[in-house]
Amino acid sequence: MQLGLSVSDSDVSSFTPLVVLELADDTKAEAITWLLNRIRDKQQNGGAELLVNQLLFPAQDDQKPNPNVFLVGSTLQRLLNGAEDVGLFKEFQDGTMRGFTYANRESFKDFNGDGEGVLSDAECQYIIKHELDTLRAKNEEHVPGYPKLKLYPGKSVVRRLQSKGVLIQYFPLHNKEDLKRLSFSWYKKFKLSFQPLDDIRHYFGEGLALYFGFLEYFTFALVPMALIGIPYYLFDWEDYDKYVLFAVFNLVWSTVFLEVWKRCSATLAYGWGTLSRKKAFEEPRAGFHGALGFNPVTGREEPVYPSSKRQLRIYLVSVPFVLLCLYLSFYVMMVYFDMEFWAINIYNENPDIATSILLFVPSIIYAVVIEIMNLLYRFAAEFLTDWENHRLESSFQNHLVLKVLVFNFVNCFASLFYIAFVMQDMVLLRQSLATLLITSQILNQVMEAFLPYWLQRRRNKKVHKRMRRLMGDKELPLLGQVQLETEMNTYLGTFDDYLEQFLLFGYVSLFSCVYPLAAVLVVLNNITEVYSDAFKMCHVFKRPFSEPATNIGVWQLAFETMSIIAVVTNCALIGLSPQMKAYFPESDTQLILIVVTIEHVLLAFKFILAFVIPDVPKHIQVNLAKLEFDSLEALKKRVILRIAFI
């Protein structure tokens, strides 16, 4: 059944389509009519006041196309008002970043004429997403046509439809011309230069731009360590005093690296207008469920789930499950050591080329098993965290990050700690670290770059073949684009990308004094990571909605925790060295006291350094203070005028 206006490439000029909204193909007609009316209705009537048209795909021989695909756009004035509603910051005429207001729109630097260029595509799509997400139920008791799909006054209609499977997906459309320019300047030419972070932010938003900024910063920060590590590896210096200096340099580097990154991210966030932006009120997750209750903050009826039940699920189910997985990880680790000893015994009995190659086989198998276990655990962790029924997305993400980080840390590094501090075999530690690092990087490149590229090429060929068969020589780029992007994989956020960098940071910082070449391998990996991630974002995944961000969030804490563990680990490795033991041949207690003292001194230095280096550069602090002062003065003037008027 056709509802509203159908749209094809010939009449799409009525508005610029920015977002695709896809409902289930068996959605009831009255529900579709009701939703479209709510989207089109005026704001004062509780609608989103957006433009929406139906996109009809031609009939296909092998399968019936989904008739419930819609294009969503907006008028410029509605977007400018929406920019004020979501709290976007733009550059003012005096060079400071200020909250955009429609009344003062002409006072902003990039506002020319009717203001068509003041908002980027990513910002326009973010505004539309915000308006759709905040489309709230009024007096409806249920979705028309679905008596069992209850609606709660004041709650998000879109999230409710999404949680029940009526709304399949909604995503922003790619802009072909902008994407072509970005691709050319970003990854299509190999060049040793900085990434176009402003262009990335303009197209994908601040959250993704900050990830690529961190990836670039991390890679450049590793270069000094890589340059120092190469001679250590090539000349195989055995003087452990030099390794002590390398370890101390590593500890200082890890602290300075993280503290300077805070300043870099603050500078980027200020220039992008997110540093002083207030955090929006967080709505419940789409998957959150519970009995109907009363929210004391909003004064609305909504599903409520007792915190005590959630805590019981966490401590009686999730925590034991995580501990069980950790036990399995340790068990697999012991199997790996049995394989390692078996290979060593064979080599000792018959040392030749074949048995020397066999020495690396257990580590390679173990590295592959680690990646498989990490993948399986990730699915289990997501299922458990969703089952815990967290109300807010931020709470869901924090619990998921904690589960995944704990398991990945133990699964990836437990064998290295065991070799270093139980077996005390530095030769095997160097070999295991090299094998784990190289194998994991190869697997990641295959899974993250080559496999998605191959699958996307197959998908593109199928879609283009299908469209040519249906339409012949007629050019319908919009239909083909929507058809292609609808079938693309959804980008699930930067979680896995930051997790990979976290583990690489661990390999570098924890055992650098044993395997100095680790930094070189990570630099090479990250260079290819930039290009593969850039390609995936442009051509493999659906375009994600922009996510305003001021920093890398909980991952900053994760990296700082890893750097503290690195202090303890490197000091312990130094204390276990034969050279250090030679200074204290008869007193292990004295050696332990010396190592613990050095460790505490380095930790103190680390915390002092973190305190001395400000997180936000001075000039940005001044600009933020000036903005706050101007806001207070403006508020005082409004109060005085109101009193005088009364």
Side-chain angles (χ1 to χ4, degrees), residues 88-94 96-112 118:
L88 288 185
F89 272 62
K90 289 292 182 180
E91 188 175 359
F92 212 61
Q93 294 288 3
D94 60 1
T96 60
M97 302 299 295
R98 297 173 182 259
F100 182 84
T101 58
Y102 185 77
N104 296 327
R105 59 191 181 279
E106 296 182 358
S107 300
F108 288 86
K109 188 174 181 180
D110 295 328
F111 194 95
N112 299 311
V118 72

Side-chain angles (χ1 to χ4, degrees), residues 185-342:
S185 64
W186 193 4
Y187 72 88
K188 283 194 173 181
K189 290 196 306 181
F190 182 80
K191 52 184 179 178
L192 294 176
S193 63
F194 295 106
Q195 297 177 89
L197 293 181
D198 288 333
D199 294 339
I200 297 170
R201 175 254 172 181
H202 189 274
Y203 193 82
F204 289 109
E206 294 81 13
L208 204 61
L210 272 176
Y211 161 70
F212 281 102
F214 176 79
L215 178 60
E216 175 181 277
Y217 173 82
F218 182 29
T219 306
F220 277 103
L222 281 168
V223 171
M225 183 172 290
L227 294 177
I228 294 174
I230 289 174
Y232 276 93
Y233 183 81
L234 293 179
F235 298 108
D236 197 24
W237 292 346
E238 294 298 335
D239 186 348
Y240 224 88
D241 290 336
K242 294 184 174 65
Y243 281 109
V244 171
L245 294 176
F246 186 83
V248 172
F249 170 77
N250 177 28
L251 299 175
V252 175
W253 169 85
S254 63
T255 299
V256 174
F257 154 72
L258 292 171
E259 292 303 316
V260 174
W261 164 249
K262 288 182 184 177
R263 295 171 62 85
C264 290
S265 65
T267 303
L268 290 173
Y270 178 76
W272 295 338
T274 58
L275 187 61
S276 53
R277 187 172 173 180
K278 293 182 180 179
K279 188 177 180 180
F281 180 77
E282 197 170 358
E283 293 284 344
R285 294 175 56 243
F288 176 68
H289 60 272
L292 186 62
F294 181 77
N295 187 324
V297 177
T298 62
R300 303 173 184 146
E301 283 187 320
E302 66 175 43
V304 175
Y305 190 78
S307 177
S308 57
K309 287 187 177 181
R310 184 180 301 111
Q311 297 301 320
L312 286 175
R313 290 188 174 191
I314 291 174
Y315 291 110
L316 296 183
V317 179
S318 296
V319 172
F321 177 80
V322 173
L323 294 176
L324 175 63
C325 290
L326 294 179
Y327 171 77
L328 292 175
S329 177
F330 281 116
Y331 181 81
V332 171
M333 179 187 74
M334 299 312 296
V335 172
Y336 154 66
F337 286 128
D338 289 340
M339 294 172 58
E340 195 74 58
F341 295 144
W342 169 77

Side-chain angles (χ1 to χ4, degrees), residues 548-562:
T550 59
N551 48 49
I552 61 175
V554 69
W555 293 103
Q556 180 75 34
L557 177 61
F559 278 89
E560 290 175 353
T561 303
M562 181 70 83

